[in-house]
Structures are given as structure tokens and as C-alpha cells.
């Protein structure tokens, strides 16, 4: 309806809405509860509630996983996501929908974190990254299948129920202890030797192993330590460390920056003012974004295999910083020249450069976020791995949270938002150099093991060149200071420590 002459032009006088949805679901949350005009902000609140649930879920379930184990967290998260997920499909209003989405995100965080920790602790050093990338490819397969599943279901409630009901078969697998056992590495690290002995004997029975020859000496050694009390550690203990807390903080900042700036590139590519899209087709735009993420996962495999964890993370962060700075600086320069009549530049040239830089930025920022989480899982000790993963995944959630916040404010401050994250990429490049290299290294079991992870130079030492930092073996052997002090008592006063006489 035309606005009144003296009224506010932003007020809507409509009483009934007719939606023409050409792609995806025929009925969605917006069309069911008419979340348009003055109620459009409720859509962003629904997105906000899921991400806030993920953040709190990662922080809380990570600490619980370090205290009670990975398998109980996985089991209870799957059961409760089944309950809350089906209740979301039966929501009667948007308030109930948003509230239940918070709890659904909380349970989803427990599933993601516990599965990630179990994968890392199960694999040998040479296969950890490969198994993690296989899990990423399976996740990408689900992302590619989602539009087709939505087109088949046609209603958002049916789609929600179908996705959640697939957890029923997963619950049966989780209840089967032989398929999803507790992490033996975590049991041994927390000195739960009785449970470790039972799990080892169960493995030997299932695999038909000879206990006298294959695990000779292991079970008797565990029987001696059964009376020892379990020693469980909370992530708060990291505050008293010297190196470990710095590594976790650096990876948290990297994760926050990677996932936060990814939204900036996505908005630049799709047009943050909704004036520009790549193909003006929902499915083409969706699969373009998913294809960029798939290409990023494929590129990580050779890069990390050749450069290692720290070198790969540094390379992708440099690409992210370059794409961001070029998009912010070069495009403004092109925009000034395009206003000149004889410059030969137009807005179409600027849009093409913006799309190109956005694709590169999304490609590299996705790799930065994924590698930060994987890196943290490798360098965090087993006794607090759940809490460390929870901190980095929660930081990633804060990065994703900037998307609905910007949409809630109608993209106001979008340029400043991008500038802040671009500055963070420059800080992260410097901080990555402080991280250790965990490629082909054993996982640290306790906090002292994590403290022995010290950074190594990016390039190998030349022959005859003295390293700037001591290696782990040198740190352990450096405890001979007291012995040298005792020996020095017999050295004359005019003799130096290396045996030369002083002048």
C-alpha cells in the first residue's frame, strides 16, 4: 500500500503475504510465520541462537569430555539432539523455534567436538591429517546433497525431521562399545588403569590376539598401577603454563580471524547490498560457495603434506591477508579512476576484481579456519584436549557470529568490519611463527609434554650452524646445572667455566 503523506515511509500496511519461492523449500520459516518487514529481524535472531548454542556447547562439552570421557559426551549429545531436533520441527512460533535451536546447537557442538577428539587420539602420527580430511570430505558431501534433500522434502519441518531421524541409526552405533569405545589414550593419560586394562583385554579378545606374546608385560604393568587414583585435569590449568597457553591463544585468534573474514569475502562476492550476485541463481550460487570450500580442502592435502602444519597455516594466512588488503585498497583505487571519463575503467571491472579477490579470500580463509582447529588438536595435551578444542571451536563460532550481527544491522559498518579482520590477519602472520611444528610428532599426553613443544625454524639448519633454541632432548639434558656447580667447587678461582685461566 502507498504510505500516508504524513506517516513513516518504512511502515508496511500489508495484512497478507503471498510468497513466490522458486528454489529450495516451498515452505520455510519466513513464509510460515511471515517474518518480513518489521518482523524480519527475527530471522537473524534464529541464526544467532544456533551459533550461540554452538559456542556455549563447545566450551562446556569440551571441559566435560576431559572430565568424564569422550564417549559419554558423544552418547548424550546424540540422544539430546534427537529430542531437541524433533521438538524444533514441532515449533508453534518463532520464539519457541529460536530457543530450541540454541539447545540443538549445544548438542551439535558436543557431537562435533567428541568425534574430533576421538579421531585425533585414535590415529597414528602419519595418518592424523589424512583421516581428518576424509571427515571433511564427508561433511562436504552432506553440504552438496542438502539442496537436493530440501527439494525432495519441500517443507522445512519435514526436512528437519528427516535430518534428525538419521541420528537413530547413529545412536545404535554409539551404544555399541566395540565400534565406539572410549579413548584408550585418554584413559591412560588420566591414569584410569583399571578401565584401560578392561579395554585392552576386550580388544585382544575381539582381534583374537595372544595375550602372552602380543601384549606381554602390558597387563601386569597395569595391574600394579590399578590402585592409583585417576588424575583428571581441567583446561584452567593452562593458565599456569609458559608456552602452551600462548599456542592455544594464537590458534584461537587464527580461528576467529579465518571464519570471521570468510563472511566478509562471501558478502563481497555476493554483493553486501544485494545488488550483485554471481549468477542470479540460488543453486548456482550455493554450489559455487560449496565448490570453493571443497577446492580449499583439496589444496590443503598437498600443501600441509609438503610444508607441514605451521608452514601451511602461514601460507594460507598470507593469501588471506593479500586478498583482503588488495580488495580494500586496490578496489578503492579502481573506483576513483572509474569516475574519470577518460580512464577506461568501469564498475564492471571493479566487480570482476572484487569477485576474483573474494574467491581467493574464501579459498584461503576456509583453510585457515580448518587448519587452526586441527593444529590445536595436535599440540594440546590429551588430558585437556577437549577443553583446548572447545576454545578454538568457540572462537570459530564467534567468527561466524559476525554474519548475523551484520545482517541484523543492515550491513552498517561493513567496511570497518572488513578492515578490522584484515588487520587481524597481519597480526596472525607474525604469531604463527611462534607456533611449534607437530607433523609426524607424537601427541602430548600431559601438560609437561605440551610444554616441551617449542618452535623450530621454518628452514632446516645448515651444517655447522648453531640453533637459536634448544631442542626437547637438550631441554631434558640441561638439568645438569647442579652437577656442573658441584664440580666447579673444585676449580680454582682464576679458572673460568670452560677450563681456561682468567687473565
Amino acid at each position: 500500500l502507498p504510505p500516508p503523506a504524513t506517516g513513516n515511509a518504512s511502515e508496511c500496511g500489508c495484512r497478507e503475504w503471498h510468497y513466490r519461492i522458486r528454489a529450495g523449500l516451498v515452505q520455510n520459516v519466513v513464509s510460515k510465520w511471515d517474518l518480513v518487514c518489521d518482523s524480519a529481524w527475527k530471522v537473524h535472531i534464529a541464526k544467532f541462537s544456533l551459533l550461540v548454542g554452538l559456542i556455549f556447547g563447545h566450551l562446556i562439552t569440551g571441559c566435560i569430555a576431559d572430565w568424564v570421557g569422550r564417549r559419554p559426551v558423544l552418547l548424550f549429545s546424540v540422544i539430546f539432539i534427537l529430542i531437541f531436533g524433533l521438538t524444533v520441527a514441532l515449533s508453534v512460533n518463532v520464539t519457541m523455534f529460536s530457543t530450541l535451536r540454541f539447545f540443538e546447537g549445544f548438542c551439535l557442538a558436543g557431537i562435533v567436538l567428541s568425534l574430533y577428539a576421538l579421531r585425533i587420539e585414535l590415529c597414528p602420527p602419519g595418518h592424523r591429517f589424512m583421516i581428518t580430511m576424509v571427515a571433511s570430505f564427508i561433511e562436504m558431501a552432506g553440504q552438496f546433497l542438502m539442496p537436493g534433500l530440501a527439494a525432495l522434502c519441500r517443507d522445512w519441518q519435514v526436512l528437519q525431521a528427516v535430518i534428525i531421524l538419521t541420528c537413530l541409526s547413529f545412536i545404535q552405533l554409539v551404544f555399541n562399545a566395540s565400534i565406539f569405545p572410549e579413548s584408550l589414550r585418554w584413559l591412560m593419560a588420566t591414569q584410569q588403569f583399571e578401565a584401560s586394562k578392561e579395554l585392552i583385554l576386550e580388544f585382544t579378545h575381539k582381534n583374537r590376539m595372544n595375550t602372552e606374546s602380543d601384549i606381554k608385560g602390558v597387563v601386569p604393568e597395569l595391574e600394579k598401577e590399578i590402585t592409583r587414583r585417576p588424575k583428571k585435569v581441567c583446561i584452567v590449568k593452562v593458565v599456569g603454563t609458559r608456552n602452551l597457553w600462548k599456542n592455544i591463544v594464537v590458534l584461537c585468534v587464527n580461528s576467529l580471524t579465518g571464519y570471521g573474514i570468510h563472511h566478509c569475502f562471501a558478502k563481497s562476492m555476493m554483493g553486501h547490498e544485494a545488488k550483485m550476485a554471481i549468477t542470479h541463481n540460488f543453486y548456482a550460487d550455493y554450489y559455487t560457495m560449496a565448490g570453493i570450500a571443497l577446492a580449499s580442502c583439496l589444496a590443503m592435502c598437498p600443501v600441509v603434506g609438503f610444508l607441514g602444519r605451521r608452514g601451511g597455516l602461514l601460507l594460507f594466512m598470507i593469501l588471506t591477508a593479500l586478498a583482503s588488503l588488495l580488495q580494500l585498497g586496490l578496489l578503492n583505487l579502481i573506483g576513483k579512476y572509474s569516475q574519470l571519463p577518460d580512464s577506461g575503467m568501469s564498475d564492471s571491472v571493479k566487480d570482476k576484481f572484487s569477485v576474483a579477490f573474494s574467491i581467493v579470500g574464501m579459498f584461503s580463509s576456509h583453510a585457515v579456519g580448518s587448519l587452526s582447529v586441527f593444529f590445536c588438536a595436535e599440540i594440546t595435551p590429551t588430558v585437556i584436549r577437549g577443553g583446548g578444542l572447545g576454545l578454538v571451536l568457540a572462537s570459530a563460532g564467534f567468527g561466524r557470529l559476525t554474519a548475523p550481527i551484520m545482517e541484523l544491522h543492515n550491513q552498517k559498518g561493513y567496511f570497518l568490519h572488513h578492515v578490522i579482520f584484515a588487520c587481524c590477519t597481519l597480526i596472525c602472520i607474525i604469531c604463527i611463527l611462534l607456533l611449534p611444528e607437530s607433523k609426524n610428532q607424537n601427541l602430548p599426553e600431559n601438560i609437561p609434554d605440551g610444554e616441551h613443544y617449542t618452535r623450530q625454524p621454518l628452514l632446516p639448519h645448515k651444517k655447522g650452524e648453531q640453533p637459536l633454541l634448544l631442542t626437547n632432548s637438550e631441554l631434558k639434558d640441561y638439568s645438569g646445572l647442579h652437577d656442573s656447580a658441584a664440580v666447579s667447587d673444585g676449580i680454582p678461582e682464576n679458572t673460568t667455566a670452560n677450563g681456561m685461566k682468567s687473565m
Side-chain angles (χ1 to χ4, degrees):
L1 297 177
T6 58
N8 189 359
S10 63
E11 294 180 357
C12 180
C14 299
R15 294 295 179 265
E16 187 178 357
W17 291 266
H18 297 279
Y19 300 95
R20 295 179 181 178
I21 303 175
R22 297 183 177 88
L25 297 169
V26 175
Q27 185 186 23
N28 52 35
V29 179
V30 175
S31 61
K32 182 176 178 62
W33 293 307
D34 295 325
L35 303 182
V36 293
C37 297
D38 293 337
S39 299
W41 61 274
K42 297 179 181 179
V43 179
H44 307 306
I45 294 299
K47 299 177 184 178
F48 190 88
S49 63
L50 178 68
L51 291 173
V52 172
L54 283 169
I55 292 172
F56 279 96
H58 285 136
L59 292 174
I60 296 175
T61 58
C63 297
I64 297 176
D66 289 332
W67 197 255
V68 302
R70 283 73 164 118
R71 187 170 178 269
V73 171
L74 177 62
L75 182 60
F76 282 100
S77 298
V78 172
I79 293 174
F80 280 105
I81 199 173
L82 178 65
I83 297 172
F84 288 117
L86 291 177
T87 313
V88 167
L90 302 176
S91 300
V92 296
N93 52 45
V94 68
T95 304
M96 180 180 177
F97 176 80
S98 301
T99 304
L100 291 174
R101 288 263 288 179
F102 170 85
F103 294 103
E104 187 181 12
F106 189 97
C107 299
L108 181 61
I111 296 175
V112 171
L113 188 143
S114 55
L115 285 177
Y116 207 108
L118 282 170
R119 283 197 304 266
I120 292 294
E121 294 172 357
L122 179 67
C123 300
H127 297 83
R128 288 196 296 257
F129 185 72
M130 179 189 69
I131 297 300
T132 302
M133 294 312 300
V134 169
S136 298
F137 289 134
I138 295 175
E139 180 184 354
M140 296 302 303
Q143 188 173 350
F144 275 94
L145 293 175
M146 182 59 70
L149 184 62
L152 291 174
C153 295
R154 300 180 66 83
D155 191 295
W156 73 271
Q157 291 175 307
V158 178
L159 177 63
Q160 175 78 12
V162 168
I163 294 174
I164 294 300
L165 287 176
T166 56
C167 294
L168 287 175
S169 58
F170 187 59
I171 288 176
Q172 297 177 356
L173 297 176
V174 175
F175 270 110
N176 192 345
S178 61
I179 299 178
F180 271 93
E182 183 55 86
S183 172
L184 181 59
R185 184 184 295 273
W186 175 78
L187 290 174
M188 296 291 289
T190 54
Q191 300 179 4
Q192 301 182 63
F193 297 118
E194 185 174 1
S196 302
K197 176 188 172 183
E198 294 177 359
L199 191 56
I200 291 175
L201 292 176
E202 183 180 352
F203 287 157
T204 57
H205 177 71
K206 293 286 185 181
N207 297 326
R208 298 178 181 178
M209 298 172 61
N210 188 357
T211 56
E212 295 182 358
S213 60
D214 294 332
I215 56 172
K216 183 179 180 180
V218 176
V219 175
E221 194 67 27
L222 289 176
E223 290 177 349
K224 297 178 183 178
E225 304 291 342
I226 282 179
T227 56
R228 184 179 297 184
R229 295 183 60 184
K231 187 178 180 181
K232 299 177 181 179
V233 185
C234 182
I235 188 63
V236 182
K237 295 290 184 180
V238 175
V239 178
T241 61
R242 184 175 181 180
N243 298 317
L244 189 57
W245 74 270
K246 298 177 184 177
N247 296 336
I248 294 177
V249 168
V250 168
L251 292 173
C252 285
V253 176
N254 276 269
S255 178
L256 172 66
T257 304
Y259 283 100
I261 204 170
H262 188 274
H263 167 68
C264 299
F265 289 123
K267 279 299 177 183
S268 298
M269 187 171 69
M270 305 305 296
H272 63 275
E273 296 177 355
K275 297 178 181 178
M276 180 186 68
I278 299 178
T279 60
H280 301 283
N281 183 285
F282 168 77
Y283 292 108
D285 293 341
Y286 179 88
Y287 282 114
T288 299
M289 308 277 278
I292 293 172
L294 178 61
S296 177
C297 292
L298 291 172
M300 277 194 290
C301 297
V303 170
V304 175
F306 181 72
L307 297 178
R309 280 60 160 153
R310 184 178 60 169
L313 184 59
L314 180 62
L315 175 62
F316 286 117
M317 184 59 79
I318 291 174
L319 288 177
T320 304
L322 288 176
S324 179
L325 294 176
L326 288 174
Q327 191 173 46
L328 291 173
L330 184 60
L331 292 184
N332 287 334
L333 184 63
I334 293 176
K336 292 180 180 179
Y337 277 102
S338 63
Q339 297 176 358
L340 300 177
D342 299 332
S343 62
M345 293 192 179
S346 60
D347 291 336
S348 62
V349 177
K350 181 181 178 180
D351 293 341
K352 290 178 181 179
F353 273 106
S354 178
V355 170
F357 291 142
S358 298
I359 291 175
V360 175
M362 291 178 64
F363 171 85
S364 56
S365 61
H366 181 272
V368 166
S370 301
L371 273 178
S372 299
V373 178
F374 175 72
F375 208 162
C376 177
E378 283 198 322
I379 67 174
T380 306
T382 302
V383 292
I384 55 171
R385 182 165 291 118
L389 271 174
L391 289 174
V392 177
L393 289 171
S395 300
F398 277 112
R400 293 194 187 102
L401 198 61
T402 57
I405 291 176
M406 293 298 297
E407 292 173 357
L408 189 62
H409 290 83
N410 296 323
Q411 305 300 334
K412 292 180 180 178
Y414 166 80
F415 182 78
L416 179 61
H417 177 222
H418 198 169
V419 169
I420 292 174
F421 277 113
C423 296
C424 290
T425 58
L426 300 178
I427 298 173
C428 289
I429 290 174
I430 301 173
C431 294
I432 289 173
L433 299 174
L434 303 176
L435 295 174
E437 178 56 59
S438 59
K439 183 180 178 182
N440 295 327
Q441 299 291 328
N442 293 325
L443 293 176
E445 303 300 337
N446 47 42
I447 292 180
D449 291 342
E451 280 291 278
H452 288 158
Y453 263 104
T454 54
R455 71 178 181 91
Q456 301 295 327
L458 287 174
L459 299 177
H461 295 296
K462 297 179 181 179
K463 292 184 178 180
E465 183 181 359
Q466 295 293 330
L468 296 177
L469 295 177
L470 297 176
T471 60
N472 292 345
S473 60
E474 290 171 337
L475 284 173
K476 295 177 182 178
D477 296 339
Y478 207 66
S479 58
L481 283 174
H482 301 289
D483 299 335
S484 61
V487 174
S488 64
D489 293 338
I491 299 177
E493 295 182 357
N494 60 345
T495 306
T496 59
N498 57 6
M500 298 297 292
K501 291 184 178 182
S502 57
M503 300 301 294

